[in-house]
Amino acid sequence: MTGAVSRQDFDEFYSSSAARLVRHGYALTGDMAEAQDIAQEAFARAWQRWPTVRECDSPEAWVRRVATNLAARDRKSVV
């Protein structure tokens, strides 16, 4: 797989799932800015591991789990 193909695959994945991930983050946090930050970090982690993540049964489920973990971690640091 070339870098351009990998980038195109990731861009398509991002475009098709970003809004859902932000809504998921908002449901978890109740804060739109925090939800956007969580989504950004989750997608950054997915990009770093994209060759592996893209082979998952559901890359969106992978990125949603990362976002959920980030939201839980952020809540623990506030309490």
Side-chain angles (χ1 to χ4, degrees), residues 9-28:
D9 289 347
F10 183 81
D11 288 348
E12 290 172 9
F13 166 67
Y14 177 86
S15 294
S16 69
S17 58
R20 283 189 298 275
L21 190 63
V22 171
R23 285 192 301 270
H24 175 72
Y26 183 75
L28 294 170

Side-chain angles (χ1 to χ4, degrees), residues 16-77:
S16 69
S17 58
R20 283 189 298 275
L21 190 63
V22 171
R23 285 192 301 270
H24 175 72
Y26 183 75
L28 294 170
T29 65
D31 182 284
M32 184 56 76
E34 188 175 353
Q36 291 167 334
D37 288 347
I38 287 169
Q40 180 179 5
E41 178 63 23
F43 279 115
R45 291 181 185 195
W47 171 245
Q48 292 169 341
R49 298 162 182 82
W50 187 239
T52 301
V53 173
R54 73 187 295 267
E55 297 301 323
C56 292
D57 289 339
S58 175
E60 189 169 344
W62 188 96
V63 87
R64 192 177 320 115
R65 169 51 53 194
V66 170
T68 300
N69 291 345
L70 289 167
R73 179 201 68 192
D74 290 348
R75 291 213 174 230
K76 287 180 184 177
S77 67

